[in-house]
Amino acid sequence: MPELDAAGLAAFTAAAREARPLALLRAADAVGRRAMGHRLCTAMRFDAAAMTVRRLYSSDNAAYPVGGAKPKRDTAWGRHVLLRREVFVGEGAEAITEYFDDHALILGLGLRSIVNVPVLHAGACLGTVNFLWAEDRVAPGWRSFAELLGLLVAPDWVAV
């Protein structure tokens, strides 16, 4: 099971002291990559009135540029993650295809599993942090570690 080791804790401590926007997200991506080996990390801000998400962070700006938006009204994923504020785990090409309109791009990047973590503050969903892997299955412990990272990055949504 992945763990937040001394180096990971030091990375978050340093990020919390930075005056740069999204420092915690950059730390979560780096710490998560070392601990879980994800291949892509993105983060989205949720606009509840429009029921859309807009990308505010991406570890692959060529494939997923910052600023890109996705409508989530009347989608099973949107109800699950954004409205019910529950973690989504998608495993295998079938799940990616079923839940994501951009499945061709995701699968084309060789990604086959995902964990979407709602970022919560004061009971509200502010957005999501998303981790994707090449493996067809989310390994034991990746979901809980991704959830921990989702808790640690919440101040970035409040600050931006």
Side-chain angles (χ1 to χ4, degrees):
M1 174 169 193
E3 62 181 46
L4 186 59
D5 59 12
L9 183 57
F12 276 103
T13 301
R17 291 183 175 138
E18 283 188 37
R20 290 190 313 163
L22 308 180
L24 293 170
L25 269 167
R26 285 189 297 280
D29 184 13
V31 168
R33 195 172 299 270
R34 282 194 313 273
M36 302 181 296
H38 64 267
R39 297 243 324 264
L40 175 66
C41 176
T42 65
M44 311 291 281
R45 176 176 295 285
F46 176 43
D47 179 339
M51 199 60 190
T52 60
V53 291
R54 182 170 303 281
R55 196 170 306 103
L56 56 93
Y57 176 84
S58 176
S59 64
D60 183 348
N61 277 308
Y64 283 100
V66 170
K70 297 179 181 184
K72 294 299 177 182
R73 187 176 309 281
D74 299 325
T75 67
W77 184 93
R79 286 186 295 276
H80 183 88
V81 178
L82 303 172
L83 300 180
R84 292 197 311 263
R85 301 169 300 188
E86 297 174 3
V87 173
F88 176 84
V89 177
E91 297 179 308
E94 277 187 27
I96 299 294
T97 301
E98 179 179 351
Y99 288 97
F100 299 98
D101 290 341
D102 57 342
H103 56 86
L105 178 55
I106 294 169
L107 297 172
L109 292 171
L111 303 171
R112 299 292 184 270
S113 59
I114 187 168
V115 173
N116 304 111
V117 179
V119 175
L120 307 174
H121 178 71
C125 179
L126 303 179
T128 66
V129 61
N130 315 295
F131 300 96
L132 295 92
W133 294 268
E135 293 81 359
D136 280 324
R137 300 276 172 234
V138 173
W142 288 356
R143 175 193 168 137
S144 56
F145 196 77
E147 287 183 78
L148 172 63
L149 295 177
L151 291 170
L152 293 172
V153 300
D156 275 352
W157 272 256
V158 176
V160 184

